[in-house]
Amino acid sequence: MPLHPQAATLLEMIAAFGDPPLVESTPEQARAVRAARQRPSTEPIHECRDLDAGGVPARLYRPDDRPGLGLVVYFHGGGWVLGSIDSHDAVCRALANGSGHAVLSVDYRLAPEHPFPAGLEDALSATRWAHANAAEIGCDPARLGVGGDSAGGNLAAVVALLAPVPLAHQLLVYPVTDCTRSQPSYTHNAEGPFLTREGMGWFIDHYLSGDEGTIDDPLVSPLFAPDHLLAATPPAFVLTAELDPLRDEGDAYAARLTAAGVPTSHLRMSGMFHGFFSLADFLDDGRIAHAAAAAAVRAVLGR
């Protein structure tokens, strides 16, 4: 279907800012532009505090003071180059409140200053820390999941494959799973909106600028993981967007998980574009997607 009318209006507003194209910007310039557009969240939360997750900066969100909450270790999007725990504060508040479980948002190192595998190493370290210290932050280590959007969804998927600790769930929001950029949606949605084929190349080039990893390495592109690793991952919720270059690789990953016997729920949002999950203040479908993600977490981790 065509772009949803709310999405079209929002994208027209974003275009009116006149920001330079991503691919013509340095990472520092792109980060400055994103920071200038960032809006603080107004959603209340019972507890929000910064902490050190095994040497990795992180932020803990708790919806209430009940002991033994489940915990989602969340990795923000931004192409491994942009984003922070501040940029995804609203997403994590909504996920914690909606699911009734705690969220630990991870401020992993960014490329190109810290190319692959630095961000992944931080994701693994924070997940290990969350499991070892869950009780200290009022959570149940047996109800531990990982999640993320876009590049953060990539990190969550790879952490689930590597399984550094027992995991109960994986929440993958339009995840990067195939950095070859060869899926049909890279042609169908090459010009976006919002994320383009060329822009995704800019992100991947920065992420892999350290000469470690390749575009078809399963630690970079989890769609290439062997069946036995996929089969051992926890139940999954995969969300994709119709007008997203990453649509088909997310759909394909959900299909491979299902074929491997992993209980998997998959929701594709029609008329939506990459990034809409972080724009729920402006999009009804963003709020619907938040509710669906929270319900998926709640269905696995309990109440």
Side-chain angles (χ1 to χ4, degrees):
M1 65 177 288
L3 190 64
H4 189 287
Q6 283 187 338
T9 299
L10 176 59
L11 288 167
E12 288 173 3
M13 291 171 54
I14 293 173
F17 289 136
D19 296 333
L22 178 71
V23 296
E24 297 176 10
S25 304
T26 65
E28 294 81 5
Q29 290 169 334
R31 290 168 190 157
V33 167
R34 291 288 181 96
R37 305 293 175 230
Q38 199 165 291
R39 300 170 67 249
S41 175
T42 58
E43 180 169 349
I45 188 93
H46 175 75
E47 180 183 359
C48 173
R49 63 182 172 97
D50 293 343
L51 48 76
D52 183 319
V56 182
R59 182 171 295 166
L60 176 68
Y61 300 84
R62 288 178 55 90
D64 54 53
D65 59 2
R66 291 176 298 140
L69 295 176
L71 176 62
V72 178
V73 181
Y74 195 89
F75 311 111
H76 66 78
W80 308 282
V81 176
L82 311 177
S84 66
I85 53 178
D86 289 330
S87 69
H88 282 61
D89 181 67
V91 166
C92 292
R93 286 170 182 258
L95 183 58
N97 284 334
S99 69
H101 293 290
V103 174
L104 183 71
S105 182
V106 179
D107 211 9
Y108 57 89
R109 288 172 290 172
L110 300 177
E113 296 88 347
H114 304 284
F116 173 85
L120 175 58
E121 290 170 347
D122 286 353
L124 290 165
S125 294
T127 303
R128 292 189 187 99
W129 181 91
H131 183 262
N133 295 273
E136 294 182 17
I137 56 174
C139 297
D140 180 355
R143 294 198 291 166
L144 177 67
V146 290
D149 59 285
S150 193
N154 169 275
L155 294 176
V158 176
V159 170
L161 286 169
L162 295 175
V165 297
L167 294 171
H169 191 238
Q170 53 183 323
L171 169 66
L172 310 178
V173 177
Y174 35 70
V176 182
T177 69
D178 180 0
C179 287
T180 67
R181 295 189 296 158
S182 59
Q183 299 286 336
S185 55
Y186 265 102
T187 299
H188 301 156
N189 300 317
E191 300 305 316
F194 197 72
L195 177 66
T196 66
R197 174 185 172 84
E198 189 178 12
M200 197 62 208
W202 184 90
F203 285 124
I204 294 167
D205 287 347
H206 283 307
Y207 187 47
L208 297 181
S209 61
D211 297 324
E212 291 192 53
T214 60
I215 56 174
D216 58 356
D217 181 342
L219 298 185
V220 174
S221 296
L223 188 60
F224 293 94
D227 289 343
H228 74 276
L229 286 182
L230 285 165
T233 62
F237 175 77
V238 182
L239 180 114
T240 57
E242 180 188 12
L243 304 177
D244 182 357
L246 306 186
R247 179 195 68 208
D248 289 349
E249 65 198 78
D251 290 354
Y253 199 68
R256 281 207 66 200
L257 290 170
T258 299
V262 177
T264 302
S265 298
H266 175 213
L267 174 64
R268 181 199 279 191
M269 299 295 290
S270 299
M272 283 293 115
F273 59 95
H274 190 86
F276 85 97
F277 193 75
S278 296
L279 297 166
D281 283 351
F282 307 95
L283 299 168
D284 291 341
D285 278 358
R287 290 187 286 275
I288 290 170
H290 282 189
V297 170
R298 192 167 59 247
V300 175
L301 300 189
R303 293 185 178 273

